[in-house]
């Protein structure tokens, strides 16, 4: 139950690079609310200056969110309107905001979404990998062993996987993806989305890992990694085909790998070709 006499909390998405992506409605809301709760007041201050907005700011970041959420709820209870923003993209998506949204919901405050940029959705929309079902995994653990354990838990996940990663860890992360998930799985790495150096790299995980190792630009700027989901588990005959296909796909073009695997597993070329596509994550 919500109480209309209370204030309102607006959860406002902001640009992930290109300031032209701030929606007209987001701009109007940031201008008209009583207060903006921002992850970094200096960062958001620059955005507000660009749009000539003078609304007061208060900080709400990962280290003060719990306590600051309580202060903001008190103001909302007094009838003030508050906008929540993070440095870039959608608040509460691998960013501060969840504690405040949860506390506001518990206090019966009306919460309004102002949707807009989100790096995960933007990357998924251009990855050319299945989008009908996907699984947002945010940031993997920074340490190798924990990261590999999380990846191994995802090996059989059939939905497309979406990860955030910092530029200085992307090469190690891709190597761990190859060792945990297998190098043949199709993937896409979208960097600097909406910015000057926006680039999308598409290929198998092994190809992306190799590219990350030799191309200094790969790890420059912000990056989202999208990986095709696991193909459906094969029957017994199919298992033999998979055993033949996996190493061949690492070394050979898809058609050639499929033709050889078909001979090894004694299946039709067409069947091996379809399975090779599935293993690479192409629907
Ligand atoms: N809340 C944000 C959102 O809605 O996308 C995500 C914030 S999270 C702290 C930052 C991560 O998002 C980066 O490490 C990167 O993985 C991804 N990211 C943010 N902006 C990006 C961009 N312009 N291009 C590619 N990835 C981006």
């Amino acid at each position: 139950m919500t109480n209309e006499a209370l204030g309102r909390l607006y959860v406002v998405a902001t640009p992930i690079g290109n300031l032209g992506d701030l929606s007209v409605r987001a701009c109007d809301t940031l201008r008209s609310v009583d207060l903006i709760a921002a992850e970094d007041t200096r960062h958001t201050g620059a955005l507000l200056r660009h749009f000539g907005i003078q609304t007061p700011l208060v900080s709400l970041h990962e280290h003060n969110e719990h306590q600051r959420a309580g202060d903001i709820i008190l103001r909302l209870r007094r009838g003030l309107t508050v906008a929540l923003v993070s440095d870039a993209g959608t608040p509460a998506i691998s960013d501060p905001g969840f504690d405040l949204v949860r506390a506001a919901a518990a206090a019966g405050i009306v919460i309004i979404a102002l949707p807009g940029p989100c790096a995960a959705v933007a990357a998924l929309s251009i990855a050319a990998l299945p989008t009908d079902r996907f699984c947002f995994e945010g940031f993997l653990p920074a340490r190798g062993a924990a990261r590999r354990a999380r990846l191994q838990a995802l090996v059989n996940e059939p939905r497309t996987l979406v990860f955030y990663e910092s530029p200085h860890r992307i090469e190690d992360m891709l190597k761990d993806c190859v060792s945990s998930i297998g190098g043949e799985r199709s993937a896409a790495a979208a960097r600097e989305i909406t910015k000057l150096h926006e680039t999308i790299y598409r290929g198998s995980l092994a190809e992306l890992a190799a590219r990350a190792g030799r191309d200094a630009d790969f790890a420059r700027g912000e990056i989202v990694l999208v990986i095709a989901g696991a193909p459906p588990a094969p029957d017994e005959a199919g298992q033999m085909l998979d055993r033949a296909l996996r190493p061949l796909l690492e070394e050979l073009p898809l058609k050639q790998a499929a033709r050889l695997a078909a001979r090894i597993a004694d299946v039709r070329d067409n069947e091996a070709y379809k399975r090779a596509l599935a293993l690479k994550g192409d629907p």
Side-chain angles (χ1 to χ4, degrees):
M1 287 282 285
T2 52
N3 185 338
E4 294 290 331
L6 303 174
R8 282 171 171 233
L9 175 64
Y10 296 91
V11 179
V12 182
T14 58
I16 56 171
N18 188 325
L19 294 187
D21 290 337
L22 188 74
S23 74
V24 173
R25 183 168 167 238
C27 199
D28 291 346
T29 302
L30 293 175
R31 205 184 299 282
S32 63
V33 289
D34 297 303
L35 185 70
I36 298 172
E39 180 179 6
D40 178 337
T41 53
R42 273 187 310 179
H43 186 98
T44 298
L47 177 79
L48 298 187
R49 270 194 303 285
H50 179 87
F51 287 96
I53 297 170
Q54 290 176 338
T55 308
L57 284 161
V58 61
S59 76
L60 179 123
H61 47 71
E62 61 174 323
H63 303 297
N64 73 358
E65 177 169 6
H66 196 66
Q67 169 257 322
R68 190 47 65 79
D71 301 344
I72 293 172
I73 296 296
L74 286 179
R75 299 192 209 200
L76 287 161
R77 280 184 186 285
R78 281 194 242 120
L80 294 192
T81 51
V82 178
L84 167 68
V85 297
S86 60
D87 284 355
T90 303
I93 306 299
S94 295
D95 261 344
F98 170 64
D99 280 351
L100 176 59
V101 170
R102 183 170 53 177
I109 284 153
V110 175
I111 307 169
I112 311 273
L114 270 80
C118 175
V121 174
L124 184 65
S125 72
I126 56 171
L129 294 170
T131 52
D132 48 345
R133 295 166 75 215
F134 66 92
C135 182
F136 175 61
E137 281 290 318
F139 289 95
L140 286 170
R143 291 163 59 92
R147 182 167 59 220
R148 284 188 292 278
R150 179 83 65 82
L151 285 167
Q152 271 145 22
L154 292 167
V155 167
N156 295 319
E157 171 57 60
R159 293 169 292 180
T160 297
L161 298 162
V162 184
F163 299 94
Y164 286 159
E165 191 49 282
S166 77
H168 68 275
R169 275 199 291 267
I170 188 70
E171 191 182 342
D172 286 345
M173 181 210 181
L174 279 164
K175 282 186 194 152
D176 284 345
C177 287
V178 170
S179 66
S180 308
I181 294 181
E184 75 275 9
R185 193 85 72 87
S186 289
R191 70 177 266 274
E192 296 288 85
I193 303 169
T194 78
K195 301 188 203 175
L196 184 61
H197 297 292
E198 174 166 348
T199 318
I200 183 141
Y201 305 93
R202 298 190 187 89
S204 68
L205 279 172
E207 285 163 352
L208 293 188
R211 178 97 194 228
R214 65 167 193 270
D215 178 352
D217 283 343
F218 193 101
R220 282 209 180 100
E222 299 192 277
I223 199 153
V224 179
L225 182 66
V226 185
I227 304 178
D235 57 19
E236 226 171 277
Q239 283 178 21
M240 186 162 171
L241 178 60
D242 279 13
R243 272 200 300 276
L245 271 173
R246 285 212 157 88
L248 290 170
L249 282 169
E250 300 261 358
E251 305 290 335
L252 298 172
L254 188 134
K255 264 193 181 160
Q256 207 181 339
R259 234 186 353 258
L260 280 175
R263 293 217 318 254
I264 295 167
D266 197 19
V267 298
R268 289 156 58 145
D269 282 5
N270 191 27
E271 188 186 331
Y273 182 72
K274 274 197 197 145
R275 185 63 190 159
L277 280 177
L279 285 176
K280 285 185 80 75
D282 291 337

